[in-house]
């Protein structure tokens, strides 16, 4: 092949290459334009997708905020009652006191009926010192104990006991046939105590009635003590009877404290207590008796005790 032929062929090949290059430029530009146009669309799609995601998250967050979380309501509470048991009612008084108040009584006493001795208990003693034609001296003594438990629907035990305490005082002063009714605070007995006295005329004679109602936190102690001179014997002195009744009430309150110390029951002691520790019944009984109910056991039988107004 001659040099000229080779030169012409090279020139044709160069021209063909240049044409091919010219033909390819628009195609690349078109591709670039298409790519350039597609890029914003892709970015826009990505942005929308991102916005949509964040909006969904935001909406979910708002929904979470809008729908309140389930929170458990706190359980109702009431402070614990100080005392969770009662002593044996017929054991709350010492032999010395019984000898003074009811010298002719059986020391065991007569226990009142109760369906729950840890919440309600009572005991009574009666004494007749018969001096024949010179007459006789009659004494009747009753100790009632009522304990209230704390209840979330009704309140703390000491508050329930307070209501009952107030009712007992009102009942004592409203006894049918009571004359010369006098009411006064009785210091140094439990958290609070009140003494009620009155005269009561009965067919057997003139009775001098003394009632001491004391509250020791969630326990109410009621002491009824009365005396009469029968068959012409002299009527006992009301002041002496009241002193004896208060002695008995103080000893009964101390027995409540002792019984709970022995069992480890009850709440921490209160600084304001004189003879008992501190602290505070389902509906209708002593572990839930309604306030204002009468003291249990023993009262109301002539001539042992005057009848309370119902």
């Amino acid at each position: 092949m001659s040099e000229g032929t080779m030169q012409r062929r090279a020139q044709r090949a160069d021209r063909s290459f240049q044409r091919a290059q010219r033909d390819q430029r628009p195609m690349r530009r078109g591709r670039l334009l298409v790519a350039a146009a597609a890029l914003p669309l892709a970015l826009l799609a990505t942005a929308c997708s991102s916005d949509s995601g964040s909006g969904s998250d935001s909406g979910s967050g708002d929904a979470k905020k809008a729908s309140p979380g389930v929170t458990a309501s706190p359980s109702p509470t009431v402070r614990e009652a100080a005392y969770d048991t009662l002593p044996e009612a017929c054991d709350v008084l010492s032999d010395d006191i019984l000898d003074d108040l009811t010298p002719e009584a059986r020391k065991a006493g007569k226990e009142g009926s109760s369906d729950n001795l840890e919440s309600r208990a009572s005991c009574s003693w009666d004494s007749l010192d018969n001096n024949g034609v010179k007459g006789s001296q009659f004494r009747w003594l009753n100790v009632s104990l009522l304990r209230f438990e704390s209840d979330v629907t009704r309140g703390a035990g000491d508050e329930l006991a307070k209501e009952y305490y107030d009712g007992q005082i009102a009942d004592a002063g409203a006894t049918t046939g009571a004359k010369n009714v006098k009411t006064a605070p009785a210091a140094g007995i439990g958290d609070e105590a009140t003494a009620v006295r009155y005269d009561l005329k009965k067919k057997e004679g003139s009775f001098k009635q003394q009632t001491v109602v004391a509250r020791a936190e969630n326990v109410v102690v009621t002491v009824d003590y009365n005396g009469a001179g029968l068959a012409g014997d002299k009527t006992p002195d009301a002041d002496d009877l009241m002193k004896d009744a208060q002695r008995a009430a103080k000893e009964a309150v101390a027995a409540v404290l002792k019984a709970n110390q022995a069992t480890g029951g009850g709440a921490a002691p209160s600084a304001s207590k004189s003879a008992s520790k501190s602290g505070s019944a389902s509906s209708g009984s002593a572990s839930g008796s309604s306030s204002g109910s009468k003291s249990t056991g023993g009262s109301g039988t002539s001539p042992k005790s005057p009848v309370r107004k119902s």
Side-chain angles (χ1 to χ4, degrees), residues 185-220:
I189 306 175
D191 291 318
E192 57 183 337
T194 300
V196 182
R197 65 168 66 181
Y198 56 84
D199 301 332
L200 190 64
K201 184 73 174 178
K202 301 175 72 173
K203 64 179 182 179
E204 295 86 358
S206 297
F207 285 78
K208 297 290 185 179
Q209 172 69 32
Q210 320 298 317
T211 298
V212 179
V213 185
R215 183 182 66 83
E217 292 296 345
N218 60 311
V219 174
V220 176

Side-chain angles (χ1 to χ4, degrees), residues 106-121:
R106 291 177 295 108
K107 295 297 186 292
K110 182 180 178 181
E111 186 176 5
S113 61
S114 173
D115 56 358
N116 184 354
L117 291 174
E118 291 189 348
S119 296
R120 180 190 295 269

Side-chain angles (χ1 to χ4, degrees), residues 242-295:
M242 178 54 76
K243 289 176 183 177
D244 288 338
Q246 293 193 29
R247 283 175 59 203
K250 185 177 294 186
E251 194 161 284
V253 168
V256 173
L257 171 59
K258 185 177 180 180
N260 283 272
Q261 287 177 333
T263 61
S270 161
S272 65
K273 183 172 292 299
S274 56
S276 57
K277 66 180 179 177
S278 162
S280 10
S282 34
S283 173
S285 68
S287 44
S289 165
S290 61
S291 64
S293 61
K294 299 290 187 295
S295 58

Side-chain angles (χ1 to χ4, degrees), residues 3 52 185 205 229 255:
E3 182 178 355
S52 174

Side-chain angles (χ1 to χ4, degrees), residues 79-161:
R79 65 177 173 276
E80 182 183 2
Y83 301 128
D84 57 14
T85 191
L86 292 177
E88 294 284 344
C90 291
D91 294 337
V92 298
L93 300 180
S94 66
D95 289 344
D96 288 343
I97 283 187
L98 291 175
D99 286 340
D100 289 344
L101 274 64
T102 54
E104 302 300 321
R106 291 177 295 108
K107 295 297 186 292
K110 182 180 178 181
E111 186 176 5
S113 61
S114 173
D115 56 358
N116 184 354
L117 291 174
E118 291 189 348
S119 296
R120 180 190 295 269
S122 66
C123 191
S124 62
W125 299 261
D126 59 82
S127 171
L128 181 63
D129 184 10
N130 193 341
N131 298 311
V133 296
K134 295 181 180 180
S136 58
Q137 286 291 319
F138 175 79
R139 300 289 185 274
W140 182 81
L141 172 66
N142 185 79
V143 177
S144 296
L145 310 169
L146 198 62
R147 181 182 64 85
F148 292 84
E149 294 179 354
S150 294
D151 185 275
V152 293
T153 61
R154 300 184 64 228
D158 61 330
E159 294 173 352
L160 298 173

